[in-house]
Amino acid sequence: NAGVMQNPRHLVRRRGQEARLRCSPMKGHSHVYWYRQLPEEGLKFMVYLQKENIIDESGMPKERFSAEFPKEGPSILRIQQVVRGDSAAYFCASSPHPDTQYFGPGTRLTVL
Amino acid sequence: GESVGLHLPTLSVQEGDNSIINCAYSNSASDYFIWYKQESGKGPQFIIDIRSNMDKRQGQRVTVLLNKTVKHLSLQIAATQPGDSAVYFCAENSPNTGTASKLTFGTGTRLQVTL
């Protein structure tokens, strides 16, 4: 059973461009979570989704950030008009129910 | 605001010794806790969890202790090995949901295993 998959693993964008981060949950998992991690810090919750629904987006910035988890396909975290402060590691986690979360390898976003 | 924090940013232990990593949490309403291990360049790896109706839980070479009176959580690693070198995070569930749907992470403790 493959683990949580994220791609790309590394993403470089210039200021003002868009970043799209993809997350494929573990098989059978319908709950997806996105977290952001700055160097030498803990993970900060961003958003919690189930298929086609956003359950909790209290950690998402109000502007430029959006997330979706469509009926088919991976979950997408989208950052529009990226700024240097968006540079971080973004982790996706999944679970079969709202309980223990299993994390993917992360996407490291660098904004030039 | 409410937060999860750790006492020691870096812990050095000799191979074969036992390690104890501590975590203090401030929200008495939290009822589910998880320890994660994160190696450089990788995502957090689940180690062990515990619910608030327990005070101890054991896994393979690891034990988690929960003291709700002083809101303290610890991770004990027996016979520490070089492969245990990593950053360890404790995380608590969001008390508003009552499930692990929103985890609050501490800042992490770096465990260094010396030969």
Side-chain angles (χ1 to χ4, degrees), chain A residues 3-35:
Chain A
V4 178
M5 301 181 71
Q6 291 187 249
N7 66 83
R9 295 292 309 276
H10 300 273
L11 182 61
V12 179
R13 286 287 179 265
R14 296 190 180 280
R15 282 179 296 170
Q17 292 184 319
E18 179 180 287
R20 278 184 183 243
L21 289 62
R22 287 176 291 276
C23 168
S24 296
M26 290 176 68
K27 187 176 181 180
H29 289 194
S30 59
H31 301 258
V32 166
Y33 316 81
W34 286 93
Y35 292 81

Side-chain angles (χ1 to χ4, degrees), chain A residues 32-35 45-50 53-60 62 67, chain B residues 94-97 99-103:
Chain A
V32 166
Y33 316 81
W34 286 93
Y35 292 81
F45 170 82
M46 299 181 73
V47 62
Y48 162 37
L49 312 101
Q50 293 181 34
N53 289 304
I54 296 174
I55 306 302
D56 182 350
E57 57 181 347
S58 58
M60 287 275 274
K62 299 296 181 197
Chain B
S94 170
N96 293 327
T97 65
T99 67
S101 59
K102 176 180 174 180
L103 294 176

Side-chain angles (χ1 to χ4, degrees), chain A residues 4-111:
Chain A
V4 178
M5 301 181 71
Q6 291 187 249
N7 66 83
R9 295 292 309 276
H10 300 273
L11 182 61
V12 179
R13 286 287 179 265
R14 296 190 180 280
R15 282 179 296 170
Q17 292 184 319
E18 179 180 287
R20 278 184 183 243
L21 289 62
R22 287 176 291 276
C23 168
S24 296
M26 290 176 68
K27 187 176 181 180
H29 289 194
S30 59
H31 301 258
V32 166
Y33 316 81
W34 286 93
Y35 292 81
R36 177 164 61 180
Q37 185 180 36
L38 295 174
E40 301 297 307
E41 293 189 7
L43 283 72
K44 297 289 193 292
F45 170 82
M46 299 181 73
V47 62
Y48 162 37
L49 312 101
Q50 293 181 34
K51 283 288 187 181
E52 300 184 276
N53 289 304
I54 296 174
I55 306 302
D56 182 350
E57 57 181 347
S58 58
M60 287 275 274
K62 299 296 181 197
E63 298 178 348
R64 302 187 298 110
F65 285 72
S66 63
E68 63 177 9
F69 188 17
K71 186 176 181 181
E72 301 291 337
S75 175
I76 305 287
L77 178 68
R78 182 183 178 200
I79 311 173
Q80 295 178 289
Q81 299 176 318
V82 296
V83 300
R84 289 208 173 120
D86 296 332
S87 294
Y90 292 83
F91 290 97
C92 168
S94 74
S95 65
H97 43 73
D99 209 312
T100 307
Q101 297 174 24
Y102 298 92
F103 284 83
T107 294
R108 277 143 188 90
L109 173 65
T110 302
V111 179

Side-chain angles (χ1 to χ4, degrees), chain B:
Chain B
E2 305 282 16
S3 65
V4 177
L6 297 176
H7 296 304
L8 300 173
T10 303
L11 176 66
S12 293
V13 298
Q14 201 159 17
E15 182 180 7
D17 288 350
N18 296 334
S19 302
I20 299 177
I21 301 172
N22 296 303
C23 176
Y25 65 95
S26 56
N27 194 328
S28 56
S30 295
D31 60 4
Y32 180 67
F33 304 88
I34 310 174
W35 280 101
Y36 287 94
K37 171 187 180 183
Q38 187 176 29
E39 296 174 280
S40 181
K42 297 184 178 180
Q45 176 188 353
F46 172 86
I47 300 174
I48 192 167
D49 60 0
I50 189 168
R51 299 193 184 277
S52 59
N53 60 352
M54 303 172 68
D55 52 21
K56 180 179 180 179
R57 191 164 188 222
Q58 288 185 293
Q60 189 176 20
R61 278 202 310 120
V62 295
T63 300
V64 55
L65 299 177
L66 175 63
N67 186 331
K68 295 181 287 294
T69 302
V70 295
K71 291 183 282 188
H72 185 266
L73 192 69
S74 69
L75 176 70
Q76 300 178 2
I77 305 173
T80 311
Q81 302 169 0
D84 294 327
S85 294
V87 177
Y88 289 80
F89 293 97
C90 63
E92 64 177 322
N93 70 301
S94 170
N96 293 327
T97 65
T99 67
S101 59
K102 176 180 174 180
L103 294 176
T104 299
F105 281 77
T107 53
T109 292
R110 185 177 305 278
L111 177 64
Q112 295 177 334
V113 181
T114 58
L115 302 178

